[in-house]
Amino acid sequence: KEIYSSDFAMQFALAARGYTIMPWNESAQMHQDKEIPLSGPKDAAFRHYSGPVGKPTYELKLQKEDSKLAKERPAKYQGKDPNCQVCYSFQRYVQLWGSPKCTNSLPFEYSDLMLKRYHPNLAKEPCHPDIGSLCEPHKLHPRYAVNEVN
């Protein structure tokens, strides 16, 4: 897998911070049925919903008194894939926000394979504004700008 789901990512993030990760007897994986677990006890204290049954709370509507707390997603983002778009850069985050205080402090870089697969034009065209959190819009991605000079 190239991009891990939240099922893996949360465990990995906690383990990277020194937490011990192990199975929890009071959890159940709900996959094909909302009431019958794929694994774990039927009366588990925690149920993780995935797959065909989906997430039960995703379709909940706001109560009328809470409607002013959130707005509809801007039209330019409607219909976009909510999964990882390979568009994060620590350096760009600090450039945009002035501090690394509220972001991941563990260093990582996307592989060339991932960048080419998710952003095939990145090596030869300036960064598109839609991925401005990965690289500065209208400029080459730093990895390819360096190669351009050589």
Side-chain angles (χ1 to χ4, degrees):
K1 226 174 175 182
E2 292 172 357
I3 298 176
Y4 295 101
S5 68
S6 60
D7 300 348
F8 171 83
M10 180 58 74
Q11 296 174 46
F12 186 82
L14 290 169
R17 298 287 183 173
Y19 291 92
T20 301
I21 305 300
M22 65 183 78
W24 181 30
N25 293 334
E26 285 298 317
S27 65
Q29 177 70 33
M30 312 306 282
H31 189 69
Q32 297 291 342
D33 188 292
K34 288 184 180 181
E35 298 302 322
I36 301 170
L38 179 67
S39 63
K42 188 173 183 175
D43 64 344
F46 175 81
R47 291 180 167 190
H48 180 262
Y49 292 87
S50 66
V53 299
K55 312 282 186 181
T57 58
Y58 278 18
E59 299 303 320
L60 291 178
K61 302 294 181 204
L62 285 174
Q63 293 181 5
K64 188 174 182 179
E65 61 269 18
D66 293 334
S67 64
K68 293 179 182 172
L69 298 174
K71 294 180 181 179
E72 284 294 318
R73 186 170 26 166
K76 72 177 189 174
Y77 296 117
Q78 291 180 9
K80 298 243 182 197
D81 185 348
N83 295 314
C84 179
Q85 300 296 303
V86 185
C87 63
Y88 173 82
S89 162
F90 177 80
Q91 291 81 8
R92 183 73 178 133
Y93 183 95
V94 172
Q95 184 181 19
L96 287 169
W97 300 102
S99 164
K101 184 177 180 183
C102 295
T103 191
N104 169 45
S105 62
L106 302 174
F108 80 94
E109 286 192 28
Y110 296 115
S111 68
D112 285 332
L113 173 70
M114 286 185 70
L115 284 175
K116 287 176 186 171
R117 183 162 295 151
Y118 289 88
H119 305 293
N121 298 326
L122 204 54
K124 54 188 179 270
E125 294 178 8
C127 185
H128 192 277
D130 281 353
I131 57 169
S133 56
L134 175 64
C135 49
E136 195 169 345
H138 311 296
K139 292 189 177 184
L140 285 176
H141 184 279
R143 181 180 296 173
Y144 302 112
V146 170
N147 292 338
E148 192 77 9
V149 173
N150 295 331

